[in-house]
Amino acid sequence: MTTCAAAIAKADVNEAKFPDQFKTWAETEEQTEREDMLASYPANIILWAGSSFAKEYHSPRGHQFAVADVTQTLRTGVPPKEGEMGTSASCWTCKTPDAPRLIKEMGFEGYSASNFTDLGTEINSVVYCTDCHVDGSAELALPRPHAQNAMQKTGIPFEKQDVSMQGAQVCGQCHVTYYFQPEKSNVVNMPWIFGSDTDNILKYYDTRRFYEWIHPISKTPILKARHPEFEHWSRSKHAEANVTCITCHMPVEENAKGEEFTNHKVDKALPHFDKTCIGCHESKEAITAKLDADKHEIETMAREVEGLLVKAHYEAKAAWDAGANWEQMNSAIMAIRHGQWHWDFAMASHGLYAHNPDEGRMLLSRATSQAKMARAVLAQVLESLKVTKVEYPDISSKESAHAAVGINEAKLSEAKQKFIKEEVEKNWNPIAVRGYE
């Protein structure tokens, strides 16, 4: 209760000093729409089989729902049984300013080694002023250790950047890909030792022999990308022109007194075309048409890759079932791993078609080539093993794809709702159910 009261007191201070910013930050609660990505793209269930991403995956909503959505999703599960390790508390890291506080109190590894559900009662605020600013001021800050480390690794330390790049890095502490380091109690880490582009991240993972899970169908050691918006932006034409996340998604506006302030609703850019885009783009209609065309092309390429990878996973299964060995399978399995990584690094990014469509096309083209190579090798293996027929799953719907990989969504939802009713609604801050009442 003391922690909660302190958070409320701080909120009052920031609201009083920055009323326009605070008001527009609160308006992110209006951003309620989201898409069930597994229902829209059931093939993803097969590609992510064996991981929590195959259980539930939605597009993001406004910042006000950050805590509720991570609490409610099937991906974070329920409290583990005694003696079992559940979901890492690291899943809180980008959802709340309580995460940096807990990291300071518990140590980075002590925090990340805790269970997600064990720290639920400590979470009292959604994404807030102190996630981006020194408390009580407009000065930018980078409070998350993983982001501080990553910016140092790549030669762009936060404290030595101009305010424009600092603003991009503030967004990039969360809108970025990462993984949990198993050797450091699941500490959040950005895999940028060799660089932040897809090939250098892949080089890092392959050098470490790292994988997030073994695919239960193909036995492929899988990698998972997570919303790499900062990486894509950093190599874009926008970055070259010093146009950042802030420029497009947090435009400068005037209040009723004629005073300028930065809109903290963090919204889509096109509705603010006359404030954000007009300096470089002459016509809203022209840029809208370009965005639509890029999105259609990227989506079409992605669907092709997904179909190829689903077949590759099942062709690998057929080969294993027929007695294939690792010497026969290694090159095909690595091609699946690399092809799925390039596909995921493109499609896990929100708004790739706007942020860096050229890189999106490159990634998906490479993923297509790798998936086709995997299937070509597997075809030879299957022929040598005299396998003439491969059974492929029904991926026409989320339900059929879930059935193919043995996921009972209704059972998982029942257990989750029981936990929400018995623990979260009674003992956690109300922000954990915001948007679910």
Side-chain angles (χ1 to χ4, degrees), residues 78-155:
V78 298
K81 297 177 181 178
E82 188 174 350
E84 294 182 358
M85 179 61 195
T87 302
S88 169
S90 286
C91 286
W92 287 117
T93 303
C94 283
K95 310 301 182 183
T96 171
D98 288 301
R101 171 182 65 81
L102 289 167
I103 289 170
K104 287 182 180 180
E105 292 175 3
M106 304 172 70
F108 204 177
E109 289 194 44
Y111 158 81
S112 60
S114 302
N115 285 315
F116 174 82
T117 52
D118 287 347
L119 295 187
T121 55
E122 291 284 341
I123 308 304
N124 297 301
S125 178
V126 295
V127 178
Y128 177 65
C129 311
T130 51
D131 284 309
C132 308
H133 298 278
V134 175
D135 198 21
S137 82
E139 181 183 350
L140 292 169
L142 200 70
R144 287 164 175 77
H146 70 268
Q148 297 165 11
N149 295 338
M151 301 307 169
Q152 289 282 354
K153 287 176 191 174
T154 48

Side-chain angles (χ1 to χ4, degrees), residues 29 31-36 56-76 92 95 116 126 413 416-417 420-421 424-425 428-437:
E29 193 166 357
Q31 300 162 338
T32 59
E33 292 184 9
R34 63 177 183 165
E35 181 182 359
D36 184 339
E56 181 180 349
Y57 185 64
H58 283 82
S59 61
R61 300 196 286 175
H63 280 160
Q64 294 292 336
F65 301 105
V67 168
D69 284 347
V70 75
T71 298
Q72 303 276 336
T73 180
L74 297 179
R75 298 215 308 271
T76 52
W92 287 117
K95 310 301 182 183
F116 174 82
V126 295
S413 296
K416 186 75 177 191
Q417 289 309 307
I420 296 295
K421 294 291 183 186
V424 174
E425 291 183 358
W428 293 22
N429 190 289
I431 60 171
V433 295
R434 179 173 291 165
Y436 291 88
E437 298 91 339

